[in-house]
Amino acid sequence: MPQRIIKKQYRKARYILYRETLIDAKEHVLTFIGSFAGIGLIGLLNSQYLVANDNLFLIGSFGASSVLVYGLINSPLAQPRNLIGGHVICAIIGVSIFKLFSAELWLACALAVSLSIVAMQITKTLHPPGGATALIAVTGGAKIKAMGYMYVLSPVLSGVLILFMVALVFNNLRHRKYPSKPILKRKRPLRPAAG
């Protein structure tokens, strides 16, 4: 009897604690295909236009964004406003901080990440991979640093737009819904006055 109760409580606790990861196999397939297509498309563009070791279209924070926009699609952190706004704001801050404090790398890193977090909080665009985007602007290779504010447009904006477009396609297959709220809200039609 106690063993049966313990097993029942264990199953209940496991469901509550891990309900985000308890998704059926078809969901895993869609998550895989979506993330593969998103990162693959960015990588394909990278290989067509740049030397393999430049990797300017692919930045590490896109991997973390893929976890959110393909694996946790209902999370507020995965919504389009957060995905696009968070990365772009953090890229602008990262480049600006690098230009101002490049002599002191430790200070530039700390300021870029910290200011990015606060800016995302203020603008309601919190997207954790954005912190990495800001950090990459400061610690990236010579080619990224030489890009200056072009880093904001490509790879950051172009990359997140690709991730977003692929997420729209793959996350709306089956019963999934992305974004969780409509991007453009329809205005209610005006009702004629009763008279």
Side-chain angles (χ1 to χ4, degrees), residues 86-189:
H87 275 292
V88 170
I89 288 167
C90 292
I92 292 168
I93 290 171
V95 172
S96 299
I97 294 298
F98 176 73
K99 288 185 174 291
L100 294 171
F101 299 99
S102 60
E104 292 293 331
L105 188 62
W106 70 270
L107 180 62
C109 291
L111 278 173
V113 173
S114 301
L115 289 173
S116 292
I117 293 168
V118 172
M120 287 187 293
Q121 288 175 327
I122 291 169
T123 59
K124 298 180 181 171
T125 57
L126 194 61
H127 186 69
T133 297
L135 193 59
I136 291 167
V138 173
T139 63
K143 295 202 183 221
I144 286 180
K145 291 176 182 174
M147 292 177 80
Y149 288 102
M150 282 303 296
Y151 170 75
V152 177
L153 298 176
S154 181
V156 176
L157 181 60
S158 61
V160 296
L161 288 177
I162 290 169
L163 292 177
F164 172 64
M165 295 300 183
V166 171
L168 281 177
V169 172
F170 287 98
N171 288 341
N172 288 304
L173 298 174
R174 277 186 91 220
H175 64 278
R176 299 172 108 179
K177 183 181 173 198
Y178 181 82
S180 62
K181 294 179 183 173
I183 296 172
L184 302 173
K185 294 181 182 179
R186 294 175 67 188
K187 292 183 181 179
R188 293 182 185 180

Side-chain angles (χ1 to χ4, degrees), residues 4-50:
R4 197 169 105 197
I5 293 171
I6 291 171
K7 283 184 180 181
K8 183 178 178 183
Q9 294 302 323
Y10 170 76
R11 282 192 303 268
K12 185 189 279 185
R14 182 171 178 225
Y15 175 76
I16 291 169
L17 294 174
Y18 297 106
R19 69 176 168 223
E20 284 293 329
T21 59
L22 295 177
I23 301 172
D24 64 28
K26 291 178 184 176
E27 292 291 315
H28 295 306
V29 170
L30 287 176
T31 298
F32 173 82
I33 293 171
S35 61
F36 182 86
I39 296 295
L41 186 57
I42 296 170
L44 179 65
L45 290 172
N46 186 71
S47 67
Q48 295 297 315
Y49 296 107
L50 301 168

